[in-house]
């Protein structure tokens, strides 16, 4: 939750919603507390300038879906007055270069309609209503099976549900971007939300085209007679890394302070995006007050050079050990890049010991899967058994006490605030 503005005119942005165990115990009580702190009457809505979902991934979108479901109910706990939803849905992606996307499935043409999710109709039905101007334009296909395939591609359940909910709740999709895709381009100007400047540093067009390539592979496999159900194919696709590359990345600035929100984007792509947006010189460095470390601290998304080129006073790792994140290797990269003499704080959203429990379990699962695969292919390397001393975060911080002194662990019973300007009333 990003607070900005001032005491007389406070503003709020909600970014991602976490997995299924976040909304009820954390987000919902926090929103209620903020509403009370604002001194609003019980019947007054809580204004929210933007709800942003960085990309379609369960641990980012699920909490928002639980929020929208309750908002659409007969008696929501608290009414939110949301101005805009920032989110690149797959419906939108399908309209960027449809001729490439449906290659091999007949001709495709796009009309000059308003685009999916323009608020005038059900965004989730955009591709189901072929030929209806004001939706996705005219997309011509040859058979009912091809149309069903396109409908499935536009209907990755969580992203579609979010857009349906947004329309029902009158949350204008990508309002500040002309209701078009949110992209980092040299021509894209920063968005001003009162005194807050938001600069988009991702995704870039190549990353979105990578998504279309994956979709195109699926379409061609269906054409070749692949019997895998669309649901199964797309479920595997969602779990892959390509959607992460499409994460919306924004640099938020106000009053001389800055926060870089990175979603699950890859470090090198974030650097490219910052350069493209003119916020980072080629090969140069920049400093932000808060860095939300990409992809929960996964070492697959990070290199030491990223931490050298983008330094921060506060590093936020939002991971509980699931999928191994935050990784010990990533902590090592940060230590190598910043050392221990610099002044900075590392914020962990779970206790180190708890993170290690989940990291150990993930390590074991990965080892077991590799062992089974190695039985069929001896060339596959099986990693060594888990060693707390060699692989645990606890041991890493014990071995680096000065680095460990920079840790600040979130207390699940209290709001965790990083105040950069005026203190936030909680």
């Amino acid at each position: 939750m990003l607070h900005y503005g001032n005491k007389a005119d406070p503003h709020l942005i909600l970014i991602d919603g976490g997995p299924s165990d976040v909304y009820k115990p954390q987000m919902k009580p926090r929103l209620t507390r903020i509403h009370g702190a604002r001194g609003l009457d019980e019947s007054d809505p809580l204004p929210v300038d933007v709800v942003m979902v960085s990309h379609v991934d369960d641990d980012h979108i699920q909490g928002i879906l639980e929020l929208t479901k309750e908002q659409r109910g007969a008696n929501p706990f608290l009414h939110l007055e949301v101005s805009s939803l920032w989110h690149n849905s797959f419906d939108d992606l399908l309209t960027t270069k449809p001729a490439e996307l449906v290659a091999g499935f007949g001709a495709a043409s796009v009309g000059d309609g308003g685009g999916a999710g323009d608020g005038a109709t059900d965004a989730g039905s955009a591709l189901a209503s072929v030929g209806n101007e004001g939706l996705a334009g005219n997309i011509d296909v040859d058979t009912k099976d091809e149309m069903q395939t396109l409908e499935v591609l536009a209907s990755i359940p969580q992203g579609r549900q979010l857009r349906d909910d947004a329309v029902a709740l009158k949350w204008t999709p990508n309002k500040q971007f002309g209701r078009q895709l949110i992209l980092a381009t040299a021509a894209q100007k920063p968005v001003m939300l009162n005194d807050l400047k938001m600069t988009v540093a991702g995704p870039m067009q190549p990353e979105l085209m990578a998504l279309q390539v994956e979709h195109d592979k699926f379409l061609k496999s269906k054409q070749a007679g692949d019997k895998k159900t669309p649901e199964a194919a797309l479920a595997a696709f969602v779990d892959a890394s390509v959607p992460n590359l499409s994460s919306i990345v924004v640099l938020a600035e106000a009053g001389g302070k800055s926060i870089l929100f990175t979603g699950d984007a890859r470090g090198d792509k974030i650097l490219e995006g910052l350069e493209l947006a003119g916020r980072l010189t080629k090969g140069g460095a920049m400093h932000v007050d808060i860095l939300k470390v990409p992809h929960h601290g996964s070492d697959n998304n990070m290199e030491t050079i990223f931490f050298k080129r983008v330094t921060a006073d506060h590093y936020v790792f939002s991971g509980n050990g699931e999928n191994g994140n935050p990784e010990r290797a990533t902590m090592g990269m940060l230590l190598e890049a910043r050392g221990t003499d610099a002044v900075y704080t590392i914020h962990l959203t779970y206790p180190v010991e708890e993170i290690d429990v989940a990291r150990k379990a993930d390590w074991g699962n990965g080892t077991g899967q590799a062992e089974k695969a190695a039985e069929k292919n001896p060339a596959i390397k099986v990693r060594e058994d888990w060693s707390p001393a060699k692989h645990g975060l606890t041991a890493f911080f014990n071995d680096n006490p000065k680095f460990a002194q920079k840790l600040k662990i979130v207390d699940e019973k209290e709001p965790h605030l990083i105040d950069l300007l005026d203190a936030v009333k909680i």
Side-chain angles (χ1 to χ4, degrees):
M1 296 183 185
L2 173 61
H3 299 262
Y4 65 103
N6 53 54
K7 293 179 181 179
D9 184 26
H11 291 268
L12 179 67
I13 292 176
L14 177 59
I15 301 178
D16 289 340
S20 59
D21 58 349
V22 168
Y23 174 68
K24 287 184 178 179
Q26 302 293 340
M27 189 198 306
K28 182 176 177 178
R30 183 76 184 108
L31 288 170
T32 303
R33 193 168 181 171
I34 292 171
H35 183 271
R38 293 274 183 91
L40 298 170
D41 291 337
E42 187 174 334
S43 60
D44 290 338
L46 175 65
V48 178
D49 289 349
V50 173
V51 171
M52 184 179 103
V53 176
S54 60
H55 65 295
V56 177
D57 211 344
D58 182 75
D59 60 339
H60 292 255
I61 195 174
Q62 183 57 41
I64 300 298
L65 288 176
E66 292 179 39
L67 169 67
T68 56
K69 180 180 180 180
E70 190 157 344
Q71 288 289 297
R72 293 185 68 175
N75 297 298
F77 75 100
L78 170 69
H79 178 59
L80 301 185
E81 192 174 68
V82 177
S83 174
S84 180
L85 169 71
W86 288 10
H87 172 56
N88 288 338
S89 76
F90 281 88
D91 295 37
D92 297 325
L93 297 175
L94 287 170
T95 65
T96 56
K97 278 196 176 181
E100 292 187 26
L101 179 63
V102 296
F105 277 78
S109 61
V110 178
D112 58 355
D118 66 358
T121 183
D122 182 347
S125 66
L127 290 178
S129 303
V130 179
N132 187 345
E133 291 298 322
L135 296 174
N138 293 329
I139 298 181
D140 300 321
V141 291
D142 294 333
T143 70
K144 180 179 178 181
D145 182 63
E146 293 164 12
M147 189 63 245
Q148 290 174 336
T149 301
L150 285 174
E151 289 174 3
V152 170
L153 289 174
S155 304
I156 291 180
Q158 290 173 310
R160 180 172 183 173
Q161 184 61 55
L162 177 60
R163 294 303 290 266
D164 287 349
D165 289 351
V167 170
L169 294 168
K170 295 182 172 56
W171 296 3
T172 307
N174 299 346
K175 177 180 179 181
Q176 292 79 7
F177 301 89
R179 300 178 181 180
Q180 303 300 311
L181 283 170
I182 298 175
L183 279 173
T185 68
Q188 176 63 51
K189 296 181 179 179
V191 170
M192 295 302 302
L193 300 171
N194 296 287
D195 60 348
L196 178 72
K197 181 167 72 172
M198 300 284 272
T199 302
V200 177
M204 296 173 287
Q205 186 66 23
E207 282 62 62
L208 294 185
M209 286 305 301
L211 282 171
Q212 293 180 328
V213 168
E214 291 299 317
H215 280 126
D216 192 45
K217 288 179 182 177
F218 169 72
L219 287 169
K220 289 181 178 179
S221 72
K222 293 299 293 181
Q223 187 184 38
D226 187 351
K227 299 301 182 183
K228 185 183 294 184
T229 67
E231 291 81 4
L234 290 176
F237 167 64
V238 171
D239 288 337
S241 63
V242 174
N244 293 337
L245 299 181
S246 69
S247 288
I248 297 173
V249 177
V250 292
L251 176 66
E253 299 172 281
K257 302 293 184 178
S258 57
I259 307 174
L260 182 59
F261 294 100
T262 60
D264 282 355
R266 210 171 68 195
D268 59 336
K269 297 299 181 182
I270 297 170
L271 295 176
E272 285 183 39
L274 288 168
E275 290 177 356
L276 184 64
R279 303 313 308 272
L280 183 65
T281 59
K282 193 74 173 178
M286 64 182 293
H287 184 82
V288 296
D289 291 275
I290 301 175
L291 169 64
K292 185 274 177 185
V293 178
H295 204 179
H296 317 286
S298 170
D299 57 353
N300 291 330
N301 290 53
M302 193 54 52
E303 295 288 347
T304 304
I305 188 62
F306 179 86
F307 287 125
K308 289 183 176 180
R309 294 190 63 191
V310 181
T311 58
D313 293 337
H314 301 271
Y315 296 88
V316 179
F317 290 82
S318 60
N320 66 350
E322 187 175 348
N323 297 318
N325 300 325
E327 290 281 5
R328 174 169 167 154
T330 307
M331 292 294 176
M333 295 174 196
L334 177 58
L335 175 59
E336 180 183 351
R338 298 299 312 273
T340 56
D341 292 335
V343 178
Y344 58 92
T345 303
I346 301 167
H347 300 260
L348 298 183
T349 53
Y350 291 83
V352 177
E353 297 79 8
E354 186 176 333
I355 292 173
D356 265 349
V357 170
R359 291 187 66 251
K360 180 181 178 181
D362 178 79
W363 186 282
N365 291 336
T367 301
Q369 293 169 3
E371 288 174 344
K372 290 182 179 179
E375 292 176 0
K376 298 180 180 180
N377 183 1
I380 294 178
K381 294 182 179 180
V382 179
R383 61 185 176 188
E384 60 188 338
D385 290 339
W386 171 272
S387 164
K390 293 175 63 177
H391 308 125
L393 283 177
T394 303
F396 179 81
F397 287 118
N398 287 339
D399 292 341
N400 297 278
K402 289 186 177 181
F403 191 62
Q405 290 176 5
K406 300 180 181 295
L407 284 178
K408 188 170 184 179
I409 311 299
V410 170
D411 183 347
E412 65 176 341
K413 297 179 181 179
E414 293 293 330
H416 190 81
L417 297 170
I418 305 175
D419 288 324
L420 300 181
L421 298 168
D422 294 333
V424 177
K425 190 175 182 181
I426 62 173

